[in-house]
Amino acid sequence: MSQIESVFLKVDGELAALEARIARGEALPLAPTVDAAIGLIRQLLIAYIDEEGKKRVPEAGAEILDVFKAFVRGDPTWNAMRDNCRELVYYRNCINMGREDALPRLPDKMAVRTARHVYLYMKTRCIREGRLGD
């Protein structure tokens, strides 16, 4: 199994675990859930950059939007995911500023769904590019 396949498998499992908790009616802790969603997307972006081998892999502490900038550099077709990444950063900023009132309804669930959306978008593209199997 390649490194990128391993990362996709790991992220899928972590998202599935969060989705299972949501399906059971659990309320997820907001800040850790948003951080987890951001972290999972970040892992996918870095795995792709590493697999592609054309761009410098961002440093371990790089913020998600900085990783995204490195990710799309030279290939703006990936910009379809930009708003998803920004949405999660917005959630985190609202939490950090104590402005949970500015968040959409059920932001914990929205964070997980946003991360799943990015996962599916990236997986589909990686399959088309031959980086992942079906």
Side-chain angles (χ1 to χ4, degrees):
M1 176 179 299
S2 71
Q3 177 66 24
I4 195 168
E5 288 172 322
S6 176
V7 171
F8 268 85
L9 188 62
K10 176 183 175 289
V11 168
D12 183 42
E14 291 185 35
L15 285 171
L18 290 168
E19 290 163 336
R21 290 177 64 192
I22 290 169
R24 288 191 301 267
E26 289 182 41
L28 303 176
L30 183 56
T33 301
V34 169
D35 287 341
I38 289 170
L40 294 172
I41 292 172
R42 191 177 178 289
Q43 288 177 49
L44 294 173
L45 297 175
I46 289 174
Y48 186 94
I49 292 169
D50 190 45
E51 162 74 19
E52 184 183 45
K54 295 179 182 177
K55 301 170 186 160
R56 186 180 64 79
V57 176
E59 296 191 21
E63 287 291 324
I64 182 75
L65 294 179
D66 292 328
V67 174
F68 185 76
K69 284 180 199 173
F71 177 77
V72 299
R73 187 169 291 125
D75 189 356
T77 61
W78 284 105
N79 276 331
M81 302 180 330
R82 179 181 55 215
D83 288 342
N84 298 112
C85 295
R86 286 180 176 170
E87 180 179 358
L88 292 173
V89 170
Y90 171 77
Y91 289 9
R92 185 178 60 195
N93 289 343
C94 287
I95 293 164
N96 290 343
M97 294 178 358
R99 290 293 317 270
E100 287 87 353
D101 62 308
L103 292 170
R105 188 171 178 271
L106 305 173
D108 55 335
K109 294 177 183 173
M110 290 300 297
V112 174
R113 290 185 177 125
T114 298
R116 177 58 80 183
H117 174 78
V118 170
Y119 169 88
L120 292 171
Y121 184 88
M122 288 188 70
K123 182 173 182 179
T124 300
R125 176 116 176 221
C126 287
I127 289 170
R128 278 196 328 253
E129 293 175 353
R131 297 180 194 281
L132 294 173
D134 303 352

